[in-house]
Amino acid sequence: MKAVCVVAIGNVPPEILEWVENVAVEWFPWPVRRLQALDLPEGSFDTNRGQYQSVEIMKAVARSRPSDAARILGVTEVDLTIPMLTFVFGQAQLDGPVAVVSLCRLRQEFYGLQSEEVLFRERVVKEVLHELGHTFGLTHCADPTCPMSLATHIGLVDGKEQRYCARCGEQIGQRIASQDGEPL
Amino acid sequence: MKKVWPILVVDDEEVMCESMAAWLREDGYRVDTAPNGLRAIELAGSTDYAICFMDLKMPGGLDGIETMMEIHRIHPDASIIIITAYATVDTAIQAMKEGAQEYIVKPSHPQEISMLVSRILKLKKLQSENAILRKKISRSYRHSDIITKNPRMEEILALTRDIASLRSTVLIRGDSGTGKELIARAIHYCGNRADKRFVSVSCAALTETLLESELFGHEKGSFTGADGQKKGKFELAEGGTIFLDEIGDISPKLQADLLRVLQERRFYRVGGSEEVSVDVRVIAATNKNLAEEVQQGLFRDDLYYRLNVIEIRIPPLRERREDIPLLAERFVERIASELGKDIAGISGDALKLLIDYDWPGNVRELENVIERAIVTSHNGTLVESDFSWLKQRSNQGQNWEVPDVPLAELERRAIIAVLERKRGNVKDAAAALGIDRSTLYDKLKRYEIAH
């Protein structure tokens, strides 16, 4: 039976992985399985920027994907980036099986503020929905309250709701029904 | 909408290309990547990229600027965004001088790139809409859209084609509703000024002072309410055409001002002290007989001769009855579609009624009559009863109710009506009118009646 796999890259508190798993259980029709945590891949740290190259993390997650994993979602505490951008909240293969979410910029502490667990948890839910949405072929939504809308700063993440808009929800439902959720 | 604008990312670093492409694809764009200039040019040969992100430095072969110039040769409208590191900003600025639209320093904040892409595409969408509208407008005024099989109208269309690219002033004469502005637009949109503006001014609709300000603009404070400088229609029509409708109604002062513009192509804004030069073609129109107005001292003869370089007289609809069925069918097709009514055409009886009617309001009246019939009709075809009110109007016209027009116009109409009844036979028409043939020929010439 197919599954959604969740994997930590580096150290990630188990309760956060549990939040991630709950989101997957709520929205997708497959059992959710946690894999053994991966080490941060060698060579993924960009010494000039002090950040991790998201592409390398994605490759490591893809390599660890079990054959029954319809989707695999990597979760990491480190700050991710790609060469062109100063940071990314996460990354996903559009209509593919692999996605990663960085928790780093979802924490209030990153912005020099006091930790807020409820807010942090909400942000995690939204980012997980966002990256997994991409793996179902969804592109950015024009509705700023939908988790599939583009967020280029944390304020835009906070403007989102913790559920897909009707249109995006319907599209995911159709993808699951029409191709049994298989990535293209 | 987004997906119709393909994007190309050109960079020799695969990870840079692919991660950037993936990020843009998440936003819904179709994105291709190229590892070097040659591949980029090859891809541009088959895809019209809206935006190309171009690395400035690519080892071996073509560099970013050379690639950009080659892509611009293939797609002049492609927006090139140069990607650069801090160390090469000077070169990026050089690239902008060579035609790049923007440059971004990597790494950039996601919001910066997102806004840049969305700003460029918004501009492209507007440009594309603008081009479509221009094309649509120019298509609407093509000569082939002026429907006629009347020999005189065909001569007029041939003339408008011949004069379309000249700068000479044109005077269009014709009764109200004959389509003077349509002919003026056909001249403009078929000539070498088609990509510039066609500005229409109804001279009879405004008072002298308002019309003066409308035509020539005004400076701030030149009169009460002139809160700022305003360009006039002549300036707005720069490089294009100004259409001065009902020119016979302008005041003697404006006649003098207009004469000066026609002679010198320069004028002053109201309240202004600086001369403004313009390159504008003037097409004027009137339903008056300006030659008579000149004789009566109501219109300046020097202005008349300046305007009347090329004269076009559009016949009233009753003198081109053969066009009525064609025009009627075209109006039915267009108006029914606009109003969402399923009307296939006009019955034979209804057409006969339309052909026999005198159409004092000309083509405009025909269009309005068809619209009214379509609105009130409950049939799939317009039938005679849909125009019954027109019959009453027509009968009223036969009660010798003399319209409020000059005697010469009455004579002209009488001659046309008799000629039509006599199927163009001048001998019979002359007999019916009680004049000899040579007198009738004189009058036909004087009133410019084709026969």
Side-chain angles (χ1 to χ4, degrees), chain B residues 354 359 365-373 387 389-390:
Chain B
L354 297 181
W359 300 111
E365 186 185 12
L366 173 63
E367 189 176 4
N368 293 340
V369 161
I370 299 276
E371 181 167 350
R372 177 173 162 178
F387 300 99
W389 45 277
L390 192 65

Side-chain angles (χ1 to χ4, degrees), chain B residues 154-199:
Chain B
E154 281 169 353
E155 275 173 28
I156 290 172
L157 291 185
L159 175 65
T160 57
R161 260 183 230 112
D162 292 344
I163 62 169
S165 290
L166 304 179
R167 201 168 89 165
S168 315
T169 308
V170 181
L171 179 63
I172 303 174
R173 287 176 54 202
D175 294 349
S176 293
T178 46
K180 296 186 285 291
E181 182 163 343
L182 194 65
I183 292 288
R185 284 182 186 272
I187 294 171
H188 173 81
Y189 285 106
C190 293
N192 54 6
R193 292 170 180 263
D195 60 342
K196 297 284 167 49
R197 293 180 73 172
F198 175 92
V199 177

Side-chain angles (χ1 to χ4, degrees), chain B residues 194-377:
Chain B
D195 60 342
K196 297 284 167 49
R197 293 180 73 172
F198 175 92
V199 177
S200 177
V201 186
S202 176
C203 299
L206 300 168
T207 62
E208 179 185 295
T209 3
L210 278 177
L211 182 58
E212 186 183 14
S213 159
E214 190 75 1
L215 289 175
F216 306 118
H218 60 248
E219 296 292 346
K220 185 178 178 180
S222 53
F223 53 83
T224 314
D227 300 332
Q229 189 200 62
K230 186 193 161 202
K231 284 187 177 178
K233 300 286 189 189
F234 268 100
E235 274 179 270
L236 294 176
E238 173 61 27
T241 302
I242 189 165
F243 175 63
L244 303 173
D245 198 10
E246 300 179 74
I247 191 77
D249 293 331
I250 63 170
S251 69
K253 180 189 179 302
L254 275 179
Q255 288 180 30
D257 291 344
L258 193 55
L259 178 67
R260 183 164 181 273
V261 181
L262 289 175
Q263 282 172 334
E264 299 172 23
R265 308 265 159 200
R266 287 197 302 266
F267 60 88
Y268 292 96
R269 293 193 195 105
V270 176
S273 54
E274 259 181 52
E275 271 195 322
V276 179
S277 294
V278 282
D279 167 26
V280 173
R281 181 182 201 171
V282 176
I283 301 181
T286 180
N287 57 7
K288 291 186 173 174
N289 185 335
L290 279 193
E292 277 182 12
E293 302 269 312
V294 168
Q295 278 176 1
Q296 291 166 23
L298 299 172
F299 201 85
R300 290 180 72 119
D301 57 350
D302 41 10
L303 177 59
Y304 173 65
Y305 293 117
R306 280 273 172 191
L307 290 172
N308 200 28
V309 177
I310 298 164
E311 190 189 48
I312 294 173
R313 188 183 160 268
I314 308 176
L317 190 53
R318 63 183 168 276
E319 289 177 26
R320 41 183 287 225
R321 289 184 193 272
E322 66 270 46
D323 285 344
I324 293 172
L326 300 174
L327 288 164
E329 293 288 351
R330 173 66 70 94
F331 289 146
V332 168
E333 195 183 318
R334 180 173 58 75
I335 297 167
S337 149
E338 282 170 8
L339 298 177
K341 293 205 61 166
D342 193 13
I343 291 181
I346 309 177
S347 74
D349 286 348
L351 261 186
K352 189 175 177 310
L353 182 65
L354 297 181
I355 293 168
D356 289 344
Y357 182 64
D358 222 24
W359 300 111
N362 292 295
V363 183
R364 190 183 297 135
E365 186 185 12
L366 173 63
E367 189 176 4
N368 293 340
V369 161
I370 299 276
E371 181 167 350
R372 177 173 162 178
I374 288 174
V375 168
T376 54
S377 173

Side-chain angles (χ1 to χ4, degrees), chain A residues 9 23 29 42 46 82-83 109-110 139 142 156 167 169 177-178:
Chain A
I9 307 117
V23 176
E42 264 183 49
D46 186 327
I82 59 172
E109 300 92 298
F110 178 84
T139 55
L156 292 175
R167 194 178 138 270
S178 67

Side-chain angles (χ1 to χ4, degrees), chain A residues 16-126:
Chain A
I16 297 177
L17 294 174
E18 218 166 282
W19 300 345
V20 171
E21 286 159 4
N22 287 342
V23 176
V25 166
E26 188 188 346
W27 284 91
F28 307 105
W30 306 293
V32 176
R33 197 165 79 233
R34 190 181 307 176
L35 304 180
Q36 176 133 22
L38 301 173
D39 290 334
L40 284 159
E42 264 183 49
S44 61
F45 184 65
D46 186 327
T47 46
N48 289 329
R49 297 200 196 172
Q51 292 168 298
Y52 284 79
Q53 287 295 343
S54 174
V55 174
E56 296 304 318
I57 306 271
M58 288 277 285
K59 281 181 190 168
V61 173
R63 280 196 297 271
S64 73
R65 180 190 166 209
S67 56
D68 66 338
R71 300 291 184 279
I72 181 164
L73 177 67
V75 182
T76 185
E77 285 281 2
V78 300
D79 193 18
L80 298 181
T81 187
I82 59 172
M84 191 62 224
L85 302 178
T86 47
F87 73 94
V88 289
F89 286 119
Q91 201 181 354
Q93 292 176 332
L94 191 65
D95 239 328
V98 182
V100 290
V101 169
S102 161
L103 305 172
C104 178
R105 291 179 189 245
L106 304 182
R107 294 184 184 279
Q108 285 292 71
E109 300 92 298
F110 178 84
Y111 305 96
L113 301 169
Q114 281 232 313
S115 166
E116 277 187 56
E117 187 175 311
V118 175
L119 181 63
F120 171 60
R121 183 176 178 158
E122 285 173 2
R123 288 171 178 172
V124 171
V125 171
K126 293 168 190 178

Side-chain angles (χ1 to χ4, degrees), chain B residues 20-194:
Chain B
M20 178 70 175
W23 189 77
L24 289 164
R25 282 182 195 126
E26 286 180 359
D27 219 9
Y29 300 110
R30 185 199 132 183
V31 189
D32 293 329
T33 59
N36 54 51
L38 282 177
R39 177 66 183 143
I41 292 160
E42 192 187 334
L43 285 169
S46 55
T47 303
D48 186 2
Y49 293 105
I51 299 178
C52 300
F53 284 94
M54 182 84 61
D55 187 16
L56 203 52
K57 286 188 174 173
M58 287 183 283
L62 301 171
D63 67 15
I65 292 183
E66 288 167 328
T67 309
M68 172 185 76
M69 289 167 88
E70 191 56 26
I71 289 178
H72 266 164
R73 200 184 56 76
I74 306 168
H75 302 299
D77 293 335
S79 296
I80 311 282
I81 301 172
I82 293 291
I83 303 169
T84 178
Y86 282 113
T88 54
V89 166
D90 286 348
T91 328
I93 291 168
Q94 181 61 33
M96 288 190 72
K97 285 183 187 161
E98 301 288 347
Q101 185 156 347
E102 289 283 347
Y103 76 89
I104 44 173
V105 178
K106 70 178 169 183
S108 285
H109 192 282
Q111 190 167 18
E112 191 187 340
I113 297 190
S114 173
M115 283 170 68
L116 177 64
V117 170
S118 122
R119 179 162 50 83
I120 290 176
L121 293 186
K122 198 181 268 180
L123 184 69
K124 286 203 180 287
K125 186 171 172 258
L126 283 174
Q127 285 169 337
S128 156
E129 281 172 359
N130 187 277
I132 290 167
L133 284 174
R134 275 179 184 279
K135 214 168 174 183
K136 206 170 167 185
I137 290 170
S138 110
R139 207 183 298 133
S140 308
Y141 299 111
R142 275 185 322 197
H143 287 88
S144 58
D145 284 311
I146 298 174
I147 306 162
T148 188
K149 56 179 185 183
N150 174 275
R152 196 145 132 229
M153 281 299 288
E154 281 169 353
E155 275 173 28
I156 290 172
L157 291 185
L159 175 65
T160 57
R161 260 183 230 112
D162 292 344
I163 62 169
S165 290
L166 304 179
R167 201 168 89 165
S168 315
T169 308
V170 181
L171 179 63
I172 303 174
R173 287 176 54 202
D175 294 349
S176 293
T178 46
K180 296 186 285 291
E181 182 163 343
L182 194 65
I183 292 288
R185 284 182 186 272
I187 294 171
H188 173 81
Y189 285 106
C190 293
N192 54 6
R193 292 170 180 263

